C-alpha cells in the first residue's frame, strides 16, 4: 500500500509540473520558448505515465512495456494531430514487464524520437507511419523506432539539439549502442543488454 501510494503521489506531482508547464507555454509569446516548454512537458508526461501504470497495476516495481509504449506513442502522435492508427507497436520480451529504471530511460528515448518524427518527418507525407518495436534476442534487447517520413538532413544526426543529446545520454546510461539509418524514412536501432 505504501509503495502504491508513493507512485500515486509521484504521478500527481509530475502532473502538477506538467500543468504548470502547459499554463506557462500558453502565456509565452516566443515560439522557440513555447516549443521548449511543450517538449519538456511531454518528457514529464512520459514519466508520469509510468507511475500511473505502477499505481494501477498489481506489479509495483515493473512496467508492462507493451501497454506503456503503445499508450505513450498514441498520446504523442495525437498531440501532433496524427491518427492513432499511424502507430504500430510491437513488444516481444521473455518477460513483458521491465524494471522502472530501464522503463523510464526507454520511455524517454521513445518520447524524443517519436516527437522528432512527428515534428519533422511527415511534412508532405500523405500516409504517415511510425513503428516502435522492443524485442529480446538471447541476452540482447533491441529497441527500434522507424518512420516513413522524408528522412534526415545530412548533418541532422550530428546537430546539437537537446532531444538528440538526451537520447545519447540515455543510451550511454543504458550501456547501449545506437545506429541511425536514413533510407525510406528514418530508423533508429538501439541495442542493450537484456539483464
Amino acid at each position: 500500500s505504501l509503495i502504491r501510494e508513493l507512485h500515486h503521489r509521484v504521478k500527481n506531482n509530475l502532473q502538477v509540473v506538467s500543468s504548470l508547464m502547459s499554463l506557462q507555454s500558453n502565456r509565452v509569446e516566443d515560439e522557440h520558448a513555447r516549443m521548449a516548454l511543450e517538449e519538456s512537458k511531454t518528457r514529464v508526461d512520459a514519466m508520469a505515465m509510468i507511475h500511473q501504470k505502477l499505481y494501477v497495476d498489481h506489479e509495483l516495481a515493473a512496467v508492462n512495456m507493451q501497454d506503456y509504449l503503445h499508450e505513450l506513442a498514441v498520446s504523442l502522435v495525437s498531440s501532433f494531430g496524427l491518427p492513432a492508427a499511424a502507430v504500430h507497436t510491437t513488444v516481444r520480451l521473455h518477460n513483458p514487464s521491465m524494471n522502472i529504471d530501464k522503463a523510464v530511460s526507454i520511455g524517454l528515448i521513445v518520447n524524443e524520437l517519436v516527437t522528432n518524427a512527428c515534428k519533422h518527418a511527415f511534412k508532405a507525407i500523405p500516409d504517415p507511419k511510425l513503428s516502435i518495436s522492443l524485442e529480446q534476442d538471447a541476452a540482447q534487447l533491441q529497441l527500434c523506432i522507424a518512420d516513413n517520413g522524408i528522412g534526415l538532413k545530412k548533418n541532422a544526426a550530428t546537430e546539437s539539439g537537446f532531444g538528440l543529446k538526451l537520447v545519447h545520454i540515455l543510451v550511454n546510461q543504458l550501456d547501449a549502442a545506437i545506429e541511425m539509418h536514413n533510407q525510406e524514412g528514418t530508423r533508429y536501432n538501439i541495442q542493450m543488454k537484456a539483464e
Side-chain angles (χ1 to χ4, degrees):
S1 292
L2 287 173
I3 293 173
R4 185 167 275 117
E5 181 62 21
L6 173 71
H7 288 306
H8 184 60
R9 288 182 184 211
V10 170
K11 185 262 305 178
N12 285 348
N13 288 337
L14 288 170
Q15 286 181 329
V16 167
V17 171
S18 176
S19 296
L20 289 171
M21 289 176 151
S22 188
L23 287 170
Q24 187 65 47
S25 73
N26 290 336
R27 301 187 68 178
V28 171
E29 292 180 14
D30 181 81
E31 185 64 20
H32 293 294
R34 191 183 66 73
M35 287 302 296
L37 280 168
E38 286 296 321
E39 289 172 7
S40 295
K41 179 187 174 305
T42 66
R43 294 175 187 118
V44 171
D45 290 344
M47 291 185 286
M49 191 179 291
I50 282 186
H51 288 283
Q52 170 65 21
K53 293 192 78 47
L54 291 171
Y55 170 67
V56 171
D57 292 348
H58 295 295
E59 249 185 289
L60 299 175
V63 179
N64 181 306
M65 293 305 287
Q66 174 70 50
D67 294 346
Y68 172 60
L69 290 178
H70 181 72
E71 287 176 31
L72 176 62
V74 167
S75 170
L76 286 168
V77 298
S78 297
S79 72
F80 284 93
L82 296 170
V87 178
H88 180 71
T89 310
T90 305
V91 175
R92 291 191 187 98
L93 302 174
H94 296 165
N95 179 355
S97 295
M98 183 173 285
N99 75 61
I100 187 170
D101 293 331
K102 190 173 270 189
V104 166
S105 295
I106 289 173
L108 288 171
I109 289 169
V110 169
N111 182 77
E112 294 306 318
L113 297 178
V114 168
T115 297
N116 277 354
C118 291
K119 280 171 52 180
H120 306 294
F122 298 130
K123 294 171 185 169
I125 301 293
D127 187 23
K129 296 288 180 205
L130 190 60
S131 158
I132 301 164
S133 70
L134 179 62
E135 299 188 6
Q136 188 168 351
D137 178 19
Q140 293 285 312
L141 281 177
Q142 180 161 306
L143 173 65
C144 179
I145 298 106
D147 64 65
N148 68 338
I150 59 175
L152 290 174
K153 298 181 291 184
K154 279 189 175 179
N155 60 344
T158 58
E159 284 179 358
S160 58
F162 179 74
L164 284 179
K165 278 185 179 176
L166 180 58
V167 167
H168 286 281
I169 289 168
L170 292 165
V171 165
N172 287 338
Q173 284 179 354
L174 290 168
D175 195 22
I178 184 169
E179 293 178 347
M180 189 272 293
H181 304 278
N182 199 22
Q183 293 174 328
E184 297 178 6
T186 305
R187 178 184 191 91
Y188 287 92
N189 289 324
I190 300 164
Q191 288 214 329
M192 66 200 92
K193 292 176 185 169
E195 298 181 288

